[in-house]
Amino acid sequence: MAGSKAGFGAPAKVPGWVNLGLIPLVNLVAAFVISGIVILIVGDDPIMALEVLIYGAFGYPEAVGYTLYYTTNFIFTGLAVAIAFHCGLFNIGAEGQAFIGGLGLGLAALYLDFLPFWAVIPLAILGAAIFGAGWAYVPAYLQAKRGSHIVITTIMFNFIAFSVMNYLLVEVLINPKAGGSPETREFAEHAWLVQAPEFTGMADSPLNFSFILALLLSVAFYYFVWKTRWGYEIRVVGQNEHAANYAGISPSKNIILAMVISGGLAGFVAVNELLGVHHKVLMDFTGGYGFVGIAVALMGRNHPVGIFMAALLFGAIYQGGTELSFEMSNINKEMVIVIQGLIILFSGALENMFRPRIEGFFKRKSATNRVEA
């Protein structure tokens, strides 16, 4: 226990597993208890609802495939928000950055499809990352050089992204054979990502190579943030800009770097959705993943392992919630959104509700152990 090793007179510390595991778990249980009460009020059995939700998310191979498919999107957006958090920035623009990332991916997949698969697929992925990063660069520059608040600018850039994409898909890139639907033509088949193989039993689900890509990016995220000088500088700026300046670290350079990486990671949502599933650019493919990524990052404590666990939880709720709305008559799609909202509420806005009592308990316990020692 970290606290037991502290010197005499030093403030007691809380063990790491309390912050990383116990407090998120308590918040999650509180969210499920409130959700159970809501389900009870509308006339259904909350225990049965939980059983249906778990079976719908993990009960058979196809359900697992869908859960991991949703998890993939949440890993990308969770990592995107987390890298900005490490620099002290609240990036609310992952939704718009993912949308514009889809434009970069789509342009590469549509206009470079004469190339073989080993060339067009990496170029499309690169296009998603570059366009997402480029979209994040402008609010990053405004924050770093002009003092504009990143929350305000990224919110506005979400609206601008949707307007730009709406115009391009309706007026420029639209497929004339789509019957007026704002979408492009389908990508060439050799530009599609590999789906889950047959032997896994998940071949009928949308799970694709993006899941492996998300895991690789999680490892790269850990190495970058905790093992490189750039990651160290970003964390120092996030902890204290004045101390960073005093140490010769440029806050503006690191703000731009963190936001560009954040936008690039958000752009990978397009890889899973467009290159892996829809095989064309269409409206609303981002599905709110960018906003949920904020809760994923908060619940995961901005660590890739925590982000994976939180992303898996939200993926299970998305998939299990769909099953829930089919199986239980009083629980519709809106009710599932209420459950998701409660989890976001307890893991984000009310994240500190139980923290003082839990931390106080462990600090008192640590202090008692030290006195007895």
Side-chain angles (χ1 to χ4, degrees), residues 78-91 139-141 143-144 149-151 221 224-226 229-242 244 249-263 297 301-302:
L79 293 175
V81 176
I83 188 73
F85 271 143
H86 279 295
C87 198
L89 304 168
F90 201 173
N91 179 18
Y141 177 84
Q143 163 87 32
H149 202 289
I150 200 80
V151 171
F221 180 96
F224 177 81
V225 172
W226 281 280
R229 182 174 58 84
W230 295 313
Y232 174 76
E233 289 188 359
I234 284 174
R235 285 185 289 128
V236 171
V237 172
Q239 291 292 323
N240 192 320
E241 268 192 38
H242 298 295
I249 297 171
S250 167
S252 59
K253 185 192 83 174
N254 284 284
I255 286 171
I256 291 174
L257 177 63
M259 279 299 293
V260 165
I261 295 172
S262 181
R301 294 292 188 271
N302 302 319

Side-chain angles (χ1 to χ4, degrees), residues 104-152:
L105 180 146
L107 291 176
L110 289 169
Y111 294 106
L112 299 176
D113 60 355
F114 58 88
L115 297 171
F117 76 92
W118 52 264
V120 68
I121 289 178
L123 286 172
I125 294 173
L126 197 62
I130 290 174
F131 272 58
W135 197 251
Y137 174 81
V138 182
Y141 177 84
L142 293 174
Q143 163 87 32
K145 303 292 186 183
R146 296 289 181 266
S148 304
H149 202 289
I150 200 80
V151 171
I152 305 300

Side-chain angles (χ1 to χ4, degrees), residues 24-38:
L25 182 64
V26 170
N27 289 330
L28 185 62
V29 170
F32 275 120
V33 168
I34 302 297
S35 301
I37 293 171
V38 173

